[in-house]
Amino acid sequence: MRYAAVCAAALLLCAGPTATASAESTPSPDPLAGRLDAYWTPARMAAALPADTLKGTETGTPASSAAPAVDGPRPGEYIPPSRSFDGIPQAGTFFWTDAAGTGRTCSGSVVHSPGRDLVLSAGHCLKGYAGTSPKRHLAFVPQYHDSLKPFGIFPVRTDGVYVPQEYYDLGEHAGAAYDFAFAVTDPNQDGTRLEDAVGGVRLLTGTGYYHVPVRMMGYPAGAEKPLECWSWTTRWDSDDPADPGTFPRIACDAFVGGTSGGPMLVPWPGGWAVIGVIGGYHTGGNTPQVSYSAYFGSATRSLYDAAVGGAPPAGPHPSDGF
């Protein structure tokens, strides 16, 4: 009952719209967004496969009896349930096609920025799109559910994907502590900027590992609706040499492929703040019951500053083959 009461109180605190209407002149339609809207039909969106192919694929063997490569719940640990719902405007999913033409998807959330155009996700979701890499129909759909695009579709800008250079240099395992990314978007097919359409959440950095309550969201690939779960985060010190670092850890059931990049939200005056995204250790966790995030510290803030300032994005070395 206490857990339910905390969740209810947090919802009341964060109730109400967070979108802010723009006072600028009437926007012009964006033709690229119109083409992406036509390309991403309900059938193509439903058929998109997860970019995070390993997230949630293990069975959830208790951690004390499992090898470090198999993370999961502790013996007797309570795993809060998740539920499907219609989502919130500030969270959504990316869609794109990979080099073979297969549709892919990963989760993300809109963060406040001066340009009102920024999406936060996981580095392993967007690492193939640095610099001038072909975008291959890459776009963001806020509050996607039931094959709908309630706020339209937002193309990701050329040179608009920001992933830490450390993540490229170290790789997704040795660089797990840098598994976060930002994407700068262009307006939707009506010419509306992303944050003008849906609002945004506050990016928090340097706030520690322990948070309660935490509302985690993500989009399982192929599902009609996103998931949400109320839980709390703790500190996880890696016991896998392949994925070194210290990470926020959260127990929530049923978070599988496609949910990577989904936000870990905490109540914030007037709305929500984000303290992590599904990723980091084992690219977010190998079991559906336990997820992780890279810690949001100075490296995250520096990457945000680079994205909002329009600095040249980092990228892989030519020999890396992204």
Side-chain angles (χ1 to χ4, degrees), residues 152-170:
I153 190 166
F154 295 81
V156 173
R157 186 174 302 171
T158 299
D159 280 343
V161 173
Y162 289 80
V163 177
Q165 187 65 56
E166 294 90 340
Y167 195 69
Y168 290 115
D169 293 345
L170 296 171

Side-chain angles (χ1 to χ4, degrees), residues 62-318:
S64 64
S65 61
V70 183
D71 56 67
R74 301 181 181 97
E77 181 177 9
Y78 172 68
I79 307 297
S82 61
R83 73 176 186 100
S84 297
F85 74 129
D86 285 346
I88 64 172
Q90 299 83 25
T93 186
F94 288 97
F95 290 102
W96 70 93
T97 52
D98 63 19
T102 301
R104 297 287 178 178
T105 185
C106 232
S107 302
S109 56
V110 183
V111 293
H112 289 304
S113 67
R116 307 184 68 77
D117 53 10
L118 200 61
V119 185
L120 169 67
S121 189
H124 71 267
C125 291
L126 298 178
K127 66 181 181 181
Y129 294 91
T132 56
S133 297
K135 293 299 181 290
R136 296 193 295 260
H137 308 110
L138 176 61
F140 182 72
V141 179
Q143 203 177 356
Y144 169 75
H145 67 91
D146 299 297
S147 300
L148 301 175
K149 311 181 193 100
F151 299 97
I153 190 166
F154 295 81
V156 173
R157 186 174 302 171
T158 299
D159 280 343
V161 173
Y162 289 80
V163 177
Q165 187 65 56
E166 294 90 340
Y167 195 69
Y168 290 115
D169 293 345
L170 296 171
E172 65 182 23
H173 293 292
Y178 298 94
D179 190 5
F180 41 80
F182 294 96
V184 182
T185 61
D186 282 329
N188 67 5
Q189 58 268 44
D190 296 327
T192 304
R193 293 181 299 180
L194 179 58
E195 199 174 330
D196 291 335
V198 303
V201 302
R202 184 73 55 190
L203 175 68
L204 295 184
T205 58
T207 58
Y209 296 88
Y210 299 91
H211 296 274
V212 63
V214 176
R215 188 186 188 192
M216 188 165 73
M217 301 178 189
Y219 280 79
E224 286 293 306
K225 297 177 184 290
L227 293 177
E228 72 167 352
C229 170
W230 289 88
S231 187
W232 55 91
T233 56
T234 58
R235 173 173 169 152
W236 175 257
D237 296 312
S238 172
D239 60 355
D240 185 352
D243 283 51
T246 303
F247 306 89
R249 176 190 187 273
I250 184 168
C252 270
D253 197 24
F255 278 76
V256 294
T259 60
S260 279
M264 300 175 188
L265 302 173
V266 296
W268 193 255
W272 300 96
V274 59
I275 51 91
V277 297
I278 300 174
Y281 185 69
H282 293 169
T283 58
N286 292 338
T287 71
Q289 297 89 0
V290 175
S291 299
Y292 302 87
S293 172
Y295 179 70
F296 281 9
S298 59
T300 314
R301 181 60 61 180
S302 294
L303 190 67
Y304 172 88
D305 291 342
V308 301
H317 299 294

